Amino acid sequence: MQTELSGKLGIEHAVFGFTPFPAVAAAISRAGGLGVLGAVRYTAPDDLKRDLDWLDAHADGRPYGLDVVMPAKKVEGVTEADVEEMIPQGHRQFVTDTLARYGVPELAEGEASGWRITGWMEQVARTQLDVAFDYPIRLLANALGSPPADVVRRAHDRDVLVAALAGSARHARKHREAGIDIVVAQGYEAGGHTGEIATMVLTPEIVAAVDPLPVLAAGGIGSGPQVAAALSLGAQGVWLGSIWLTTTEADLHSPALVRKLLAAESGDTVRSRALTGKPARQLRTEWTDTWDDPAGPGTLPMPLQGLLVADAVSRIQKYEVEPLLGTPVGQIVGRMTRERSVQAVFDDLTRGFEEAVDRINRIAGRSGQ
């Protein structure tokens, strides 16, 4: 699964694996792909440094990258406390009442939420970059549009390629104008923040829109034939996220959540604003249903919603309140029916890719060539 882009980065397979877990990122790189560590949960620079130290030591010298979330436009002088004050009391009460209805216990006294989405704020992302640029990262990806121009320059000064996710050809063209090196065409099927255009339609549109920039296909991809399909549509690789959640290296800290993921079918996800305020595909739960109910107060815009529900999500996860327990995940969840190692996932991808290419060659009358 070699392409010009994979050759440029020195990876064996054109598979880019996004994950919040350092052990998964390292295993992806060791397996011949490019592990990309999600940084949004690292609000303390020392925590990110600790995990990048570990990742760097366990990637066996293979390349890896970092994914941040930062807006292209900067808002000066806004602190987390300022944002907290914008959250209406009625929404806070709605969260309190919902948790009480399901009997969700409080966190222990003095226990901080482990799920504060302050990484959506630019000043936090910049502290992450201050740490990351001390490491030999090969790729910097941004999940919220093009990063600011000075960040792109800073990355390029260090020979770091910059990628940005796009849900439409219009977004992709803006990335090209901003000097982005790689566009990730993220289809509707993807987990997390996603647009409304399916991967099969979106990928060739973006390939045409930003040519000759390399494009990675994302959304609903988790098998070798799907990788072959993505490359046949003009992509130079695939960007996979959800498929790693049920690998043995992942650290979800929740047996109940793993069981829910393994049991879920492709139709058991929903695009909801319940988690962050922007449409994000995730497991459908009674939590997402409650927020999407027209009788409720409705969700707040990013980053207000993420701050509003941070403690609630931590409590739901800690106590494994199954009706409310969920996670961002794409429609590929229907194929995630058993726990496997990262290497086993790669073995299936490469074997399925070869079988798909052989099948197309037979159809085209090129068998044996």
Side-chain angles (χ1 to χ4, degrees), residues 82-123:
D82 295 331
V83 176
E84 287 271 12
E85 291 180 0
M86 301 177 189
I87 298 174
Q89 183 57 40
H91 281 72
R92 295 187 187 277
Q93 190 62 49
F94 181 75
V95 171
T96 299
D97 293 345
T98 301
L99 296 179
R101 188 163 66 251
Y102 286 90
V104 183
E106 297 275 357
L107 295 174
E109 185 175 353
E111 183 178 358
S113 164
W115 197 91
R116 288 195 75 73
I117 301 299
T118 53
W120 305 114
M121 302 179 70
E122 182 184 347
Q123 61 264 39

Side-chain angles (χ1 to χ4, degrees), residues 91-92 94-95 98 272-275 286-294 296-300 305 308-309:
H91 281 72
R92 295 187 187 277
F94 181 75
V95 171
T98 301
S272 171
R273 298 177 184 267
L275 196 60
E286 293 183 28
W287 177 256
T288 62
D289 286 348
T290 296
W291 279 104
D292 294 339
D293 188 340
T299 56
L300 298 171
Q305 183 71 15
L308 169 65
V309 305

Side-chain angles (χ1 to χ4, degrees), residues 19 135 147 158 235 349:
T19 175
Y135 292 82
R158 291 163 172 78
L349 289 172

Side-chain angles (χ1 to χ4, degrees), residues 250-293:
D251 192 11
L252 287 176
H253 297 295
S254 174
L257 181 55
V258 173
R259 288 195 302 271
K260 290 187 76 169
L261 286 168
L262 295 177
E265 298 181 353
S266 299
D268 292 332
T269 68
V270 63
R271 284 174 76 245
S272 171
R273 298 177 184 267
L275 196 60
T276 68
K278 283 184 175 292
R281 186 170 296 285
Q282 55 203 279
L283 279 181
R284 182 175 181 176
T285 66
E286 293 183 28
W287 177 256
T288 62
D289 286 348
T290 296
W291 279 104
D292 294 339
D293 188 340

Side-chain angles (χ1 to χ4, degrees), residues 5-336:
L5 179 61
S6 65
K8 182 175 184 178
L9 286 165
I11 58 178
E12 184 179 355
H13 305 298
V15 174
F16 295 70
F18 165 81
T19 175
F21 307 116
V24 176
I28 290 168
S29 291
R30 290 197 306 270
L34 190 125
V36 182
L37 180 65
V40 71
R41 67 191 179 95
Y42 294 98
T43 57
D46 286 347
D47 290 342
L48 178 59
K49 183 180 186 306
R50 177 201 64 216
D51 282 359
L52 283 175
D53 281 340
W54 191 96
L55 172 56
D56 195 60
H58 290 82
D60 289 354
R62 304 291 183 90
Y64 58 88
L66 191 77
D67 179 278
V68 298
V69 178
M70 60 192 313
K73 296 181 180 179
K74 185 174 183 177
V75 179
E76 298 283 357
V78 178
T79 67
E80 181 181 343
D82 295 331
V83 176
E84 287 271 12
E85 291 180 0
M86 301 177 189
I87 298 174
Q89 183 57 40
H91 281 72
R92 295 187 187 277
Q93 190 62 49
F94 181 75
V95 171
T96 299
D97 293 345
T98 301
L99 296 179
R101 188 163 66 251
Y102 286 90
V104 183
E106 297 275 357
L107 295 174
E109 185 175 353
E111 183 178 358
S113 164
W115 197 91
R116 288 195 75 73
I117 301 299
T118 53
W120 305 114
M121 302 179 70
E122 182 184 347
Q123 61 264 39
V124 176
R126 285 184 177 275
T127 63
Q128 294 165 351
L129 293 177
D130 289 340
V131 172
F133 282 138
D134 286 336
Y135 292 82
I137 61 172
R138 294 298 310 280
L139 178 75
L140 173 66
N142 189 42
L144 198 64
S146 304
D150 69 294
V151 171
V152 176
R153 288 194 299 271
R154 192 175 174 191
H156 287 167
D157 287 345
R158 291 163 172 78
D159 292 325
V160 175
L161 296 180
V162 180
L165 277 64
S168 71
R170 177 173 58 85
H171 293 155
R173 283 189 286 268
K174 289 184 177 179
H175 293 336
R176 181 186 60 191
E177 293 164 4
I180 300 303
D181 304 294
I182 303 167
V183 178
V184 181
Q186 186 181 34
Y188 171 85
E189 304 94 328
H193 296 125
T194 183
E196 299 181 349
I197 305 174
T199 305
M200 180 67 75
V201 175
L202 182 66
T203 301
E205 285 187 354
I206 288 184
V207 167
V210 302
D211 183 60
L213 287 186
V215 172
L216 303 178
I221 301 172
S223 71
Q226 290 173 311
V227 176
L231 300 189
S232 73
L233 293 172
Q236 287 204 32
V238 292
W239 177 274
L240 309 184
S242 297
I243 197 71
W244 316 113
L245 288 174
T246 52
T247 57
T248 53
E249 293 89 347
D251 192 11
L252 287 176
H253 297 295
S254 174
L257 181 55
V258 173
R259 288 195 302 271
K260 290 187 76 169
L261 286 168
L262 295 177
E265 298 181 353
S266 299
D268 292 332
T269 68
V270 63
R271 284 174 76 245
S272 171
R273 298 177 184 267
L275 196 60
T276 68
K278 283 184 175 292
R281 186 170 296 285
Q282 55 203 279
L283 279 181
R284 182 175 181 176
T285 66
E286 293 183 28
W287 177 256
T288 62
D289 286 348
T290 296
W291 279 104
D292 294 339
D293 188 340
T299 56
L300 298 171
M302 181 187 280
L304 301 183
Q305 183 71 15
L307 290 171
L308 169 65
V309 305
D311 289 342
V313 171
S314 288
R315 289 164 60 185
I316 292 166
Q317 291 176 344
K318 177 178 179 177
Y319 299 109
E320 296 191 300
V321 184
E322 292 206 30
L324 306 179
L325 187 62
T327 186
V329 69
Q331 291 180 332
I332 196 63
V333 71
R335 293 184 60 95
M336 296 157 51

